[in-house]
Amino acid sequence: MPLNKEQFLNQFTRQALDERISLFVGAGTSANVGYPTWHNLFKPLARELGTTLDESTNYYRLAQYYSNQFGQAELRKRINDIINKNDFHSPLINELIDVGFTNIWTTNFDNVIELNYKNRNILINKVFKDTDLSNVELNKRINIYKMNGDITNPEGIVATQKDYEEYSDSHRMMLMFFKRELISSTFLFIGYSFTDYLAMDCLSEIARYLGDAAPYHYTIMKNDKCNPYFNHFIDDLERRYHIRVLLVNEYEDVFSVISELNRRIRNKRVFISGAFRSFEEKIEEYSHNLSRSITSHLLSNDYRIVNGIGRHFGTHIIGYANEYLAKKGIKDKEKYIIVRPFVGLGEKSLEDKKRMREEVIGGCGSVIFVFGDYNQHFPNPNSGVEEEFEISLKNHKNIIPIAYPGMRSELIWNKMKSNITKYPYLEKSIDLLTSKYDTEELAKIIIYILDSVQDI
């Protein structure tokens, strides 16, 4: 039975926050920027062979017939000519990039995925033959596994029936990696028709060996109401291959679903901004108490903490968060505490720090502001807290200020209180968000605010 949208978003958001997700990209994803589907790729070849294509066409076999008649070199040349003449800018792939997949698998020959990552200055490892697998952990880059090869190496692409039949020998390690990941990770299949034998054989093998213990994966597909077998096909995907399906009415709806998925993931990540230089006992004690309260309440309510290690306060936040997780017996702490120090070198130090702040805050839904050194006679023009506030405003984040006397967080609090209609989620709570109140009560108020903005 197909999932509804809410079920899909709830289930996959949980998997994404636990960092157990991989992406499988089919030809349909590249098609939205003009690249051919397998049907359109092989349609002119079928015409040359004097035949036609339908839903039952085996593309590997068709390519084999073309290779038999016109030669393997001509087949690869035709594929190369068709694929290399298109653009690569894809709003859908950029939205998928934001989800945070670290491993991406595809049967596509084109470079659409790689070029969109490159356009955003994100480093990748491209893997399309077994010898490339030694680089998959290189600098923790995004790994893009191209199961059918890559258009930059036409001789190595998997296109014909012969290529497919020899795959288990020519790509033995690739298949091992793929099967391992199908067991250890949750896949989201996008733009994939589930008619390609390569991936389906692997899914079938895992389901046969593991039975009910086989993990479930997800896909988003357009509803095909004109196909009398479509409902049976969807049912078969779940029963035999453990693929849960979300149906949409139009292909364009896939983008809106992924966009909503990203919003929900962001809303579970909370950036905590704050720093101070003072060693006074009063502020140190308050920082310790607040850090302990905030981190325990955030983590116990399934939020993720993001921090840039602001002076004193940042180390307190990270320390108490680690302490909470240790007491709960949670070992993979990096899933719950995301630490991103803002550092820069040389003449572009300030630019580098700002860019990193924009990237990190952009991946969060809400930002909590506490402390922040401020001297009205000698204001610091390079204040990290002030810059993080401006970035949060610009990116329309849910801002939660905790006023502390004489600190930037008090200035932020005053600014927001005087314009409270711009921040409706704070109207009932703004007067309670000050250091005058007990830190445990403050933490509960923060959770109340965060929960209230989840569905906005």
Side-chain angles (χ1 to χ4, degrees):
M1 182 177 180
L3 297 170
N4 61 45
K5 183 178 176 181
E6 193 64 23
Q7 288 173 322
F8 167 79
L9 290 169
N10 286 338
Q11 292 175 24
F12 206 80
T13 296
R14 159 59 53 192
Q15 298 294 329
L17 288 169
D18 286 346
E19 298 182 354
R20 296 196 302 253
I21 56 172
S22 297
L23 175 66
F24 195 104
V25 174
T29 309
S30 297
N32 74 340
V33 288
Y35 283 78
T37 61
W38 280 74
H39 180 90
N40 291 332
L41 177 64
F42 287 105
K43 188 175 181 179
L45 278 62
R47 190 182 304 118
E48 291 182 49
L49 287 171
T51 185
T52 57
L53 302 179
D54 57 36
E55 293 180 356
S56 63
T57 298
N58 182 319
Y59 295 111
Y60 290 121
R61 188 164 290 141
L62 177 71
Q64 185 66 58
Y65 297 158
Y66 190 93
S67 176
N68 292 345
Q69 184 159 338
F70 298 103
Q72 190 172 21
E74 182 63 19
L75 170 67
R76 272 126 175 93
K77 181 181 183 301
R78 292 299 307 279
I79 292 174
N80 185 65
D81 289 344
I82 295 171
I83 288 179
N84 269 337
K85 64 182 181 182
N86 294 285
D87 195 8
F88 68 89
H89 297 282
S90 170
L92 175 57
I93 290 180
N94 270 287
E95 200 68 35
L96 288 166
I97 288 173
D98 288 336
V99 175
F101 299 97
T102 54
N103 289 329
I104 300 172
W105 294 79
T106 182
T107 49
N108 298 352
F109 305 133
D110 60 65
N111 285 307
V112 173
I113 305 169
E114 301 95 299
L115 291 172
N116 277 277
Y117 272 103
K118 182 179 179 181
N119 197 49
R120 292 178 55 171
N121 297 311
I122 301 174
L123 299 177
I124 65 164
N125 294 318
K126 182 155 63 173
V127 180
F128 56 87
K129 53 184 184 295
D130 282 5
T131 53
D132 297 329
L133 291 166
S134 59
N135 295 326
V136 295
E137 296 295 329
L138 182 62
N139 297 325
K140 300 297 180 181
R141 298 181 179 190
I142 304 299
N143 295 309
I144 300 176
Y145 299 90
K146 310 196 73 172
M147 300 184 72
N148 279 346
D150 185 77
I151 197 61
T152 61
N153 179 38
E155 296 77 17
I157 63 175
V158 177
T160 68
Q161 184 69 21
K162 181 174 182 290
D163 296 331
Y164 170 73
E165 290 170 356
E166 294 175 352
Y167 196 91
S168 60
D169 293 322
S170 61
H171 295 74
R172 184 180 299 274
M173 296 300 294
M174 181 83 80
L175 282 176
M176 288 176 59
F177 267 65
F178 183 51
K179 292 173 187 176
R180 182 192 68 177
E181 199 158 327
L182 283 170
I183 294 172
S184 62
S185 186
T186 299
F187 273 76
L188 175 61
F189 290 82
I190 296 291
Y192 188 63
S193 63
F194 295 96
T195 56
D196 181 88
Y197 296 117
L198 199 55
M200 296 303 284
D201 285 351
C202 293
L203 286 164
S204 177
E205 181 181 346
I206 290 170
R208 288 199 310 272
Y209 279 106
L210 298 184
D212 292 340
Y216 278 88
H217 305 289
Y218 297 82
T219 188
I220 306 174
M221 301 179 71
K222 181 184 176 184
N223 196 355
D224 188 358
K225 296 179 181 179
C226 297
N227 184 346
Y229 299 102
F230 188 72
N231 289 336
H232 298 292
F233 171 64
I234 296 302
D235 181 63
D236 190 52
L237 280 180
E238 179 163 0
R239 288 177 183 271
R240 293 203 301 128
Y241 298 98
H242 281 208
I243 303 291
R244 290 179 171 142
V245 181
L246 168 64
L247 295 177
V248 295
N249 292 322
E250 302 294 339
Y251 288 119
E252 292 76 12
D253 295 336
V254 176
F255 178 88
S256 64
V257 172
I258 301 301
S259 180
E260 173 63 14
L261 174 65
N262 270 321
R263 190 191 70 82
R264 295 197 182 197
I265 293 171
R266 283 194 297 270
N267 277 354
K268 296 300 287 187
R269 295 190 184 123
V270 182
F271 182 78
I272 303 178
S273 172
F276 60 88
R277 295 178 181 274
S278 173
F279 286 95
E280 292 182 14
E281 184 177 344
K282 180 181 179 182
I283 191 172
E284 281 276 346
E285 181 180 0
Y286 184 77
S287 178
H288 279 287
N289 291 337
L290 184 63
S291 298
R292 184 186 299 110
S293 297
I294 286 180
T295 55
S296 63
H297 280 269
L298 285 174
L299 294 171
S300 64
N301 283 276
D302 203 29
Y303 287 95
R304 303 307 194 255
I305 294 171
V306 186
N307 190 253
I309 323 184
R311 187 185 296 268
H312 293 325
F313 183 53
T315 55
H316 295 165
I317 287 288
I318 294 167
Y320 285 111
N322 273 287
E323 180 182 276
Y324 174 88
L325 294 171
K327 288 180 178 179
K328 295 294 182 180
I330 298 173
K331 295 183 179 180
D332 48 351
K333 299 180 179 65
E334 65 281 355
K335 293 181 181 179
Y336 300 88
I337 315 169
I338 304 166
V339 180
R340 296 288 187 271
F342 301 135
V343 295
L345 297 173
E347 296 179 357
K348 294 187 176 181
S349 173
L350 295 178
E351 293 178 26
D352 291 342
K353 289 180 181 179
K354 184 177 182 179
R355 177 181 51 78
M356 286 186 280
R357 285 189 168 102
E358 289 174 337
E359 181 181 332
V360 170
I361 292 173
C364 300
S366 302
V367 185
I368 299 171
F369 287 93
V370 195
F371 305 123
D373 291 316
Y374 177 73
N375 185 326
Q376 61 179 337
H377 302 294
F378 304 100
N380 177 9
N382 300 321
S383 166
V385 172
E386 179 66 21
E387 186 170 68
E388 287 157 12
F389 176 61
E390 295 299 329
I391 291 170
S392 300
L393 280 177
K394 180 181 177 182
N395 289 277
H396 308 290
K397 301 302 176 182
N398 303 308
I399 300 171
I400 304 174
I402 300 175
Y404 191 92
M407 292 284 187
R408 285 189 182 272
S409 64
E410 184 178 51
L411 298 179
I412 293 171
W413 185 89
N414 285 326
K415 186 181 294 186
M416 296 182 70
K417 181 176 169 61
S418 63
N419 295 279
I420 194 63
T421 55
K422 292 183 178 180
Y423 314 101
Y425 59 92
L426 292 179
E427 287 183 337
K428 296 179 180 179
S429 310
I430 188 70
D431 291 325
L432 304 176
L433 294 172
T434 79
S435 59
K436 294 185 296 184
Y437 291 91
D438 176 76
T439 58
E440 280 293 299
E441 292 304 312
L442 265 176
K444 292 176 183 177
I445 294 167
I446 289 171
I447 296 300
Y448 168 79
I449 296 170
L450 291 174
D451 287 348
S452 72
V453 299
Q454 289 300 305
D455 298 325
I456 294 177

